[in-house]
Amino acid sequence: MSALLRLDALLSRFGYCSRSEARAWIKAGRVLVGAAVAKSPSDKATPANVLVDGEPVEHPHGILALLHKPAGCVCSHDSDEGPTIYDLLPPRWLARNPAVTSIGRLDKDVTGALLVTDDGELVHRWTSPKHKVAKIYEVTVAEDLPADIAEVFASGTLTLEGEDKPCLPARVEILGARQARLEIIEGRYHQVKRMFASQGCPVVRLHRSRFGDFTADDLAPGEWRLISPQAAGAGATSACRES
Ligand code: URA
């Protein structure tokens, strides 16, 4: 973000304080624009040119990070639903406006690669079925996999219970009697669990090993790392596969 912003809007946008609190922060000399102490909440600056308490404004160009989602937390901003993925991230990321949010969701019991960002356009682009971001899941099921499952998933005719439109063709690799790797380019509600359940195989463990170009398997569950804008651009391009 390189636009000029009023300092009170800027401090609120980047999660430091509310617009109304900004006046006191500025009066206390906590905010510098370049080398000069800021004077008024209505002064304008670019985020990358501002220091707060002697430190540059964090992530002035936006946040994109990859989290290894652990089991037991939900992808919701509502803590009534139990521990959330946002408990694992720096609190200031949530105080930003817009706040950081996940790009799509994983169920509470599901682990693996989950992107988070404060860029609403990116959320839209990478969750829209039109963009066909490939997602790979490692699946363990409770019953032996039927011999024709790869054919059924690849057929483009599998219609899930309660839906009218069949799933797009999906690739499955059989890794064992009860283990498989599935690649899908959609993100329907509980899609992987419902696909396997439709073939008589309830899922007992589900791990997303890849989202687009990104894998979180080098991170411990609960850890995250920032993704550079360059990597994000490349990931976005090759994340999308032709149907
Ligand atoms: N499919 C599911 O069933 N659950 C997830 O969390 C993701 C894909």
Side-chain angles (χ1 to χ4, degrees), residues 105-111 137 184 186-195 203 206 208:
R105 290 183 173 207
L106 291 175
D107 298 336
K108 188 170 185 175
D109 59 327
V110 176
T111 57
Y137 292 90
I184 56 175
E186 301 175 283
R188 300 186 192 196
Y189 183 66
H190 295 326
Q191 179 166 348
V192 178
K193 291 176 184 168
R194 290 163 72 211
M195 285 175 73
V203 169
L206 189 55
R208 184 155 73 190

Side-chain angles (χ1 to χ4, degrees), residues 126 131-134 185 211-214 234-241:
W126 285 7
H131 287 94
K132 303 192 175 75
V133 175
I185 52 173
F211 180 97
D213 274 358
F214 303 108
T237 315
S238 54
C240 307
R241 83 169 152 80

Side-chain angles (χ1 to χ4, degrees), residues 40-58:
S40 159
S42 62
D43 288 352
K44 289 190 172 168
T46 54
N49 199 26
V50 173
L51 281 88
V52 183
D53 294 334
E55 299 290 332
V57 162
E58 288 174 6

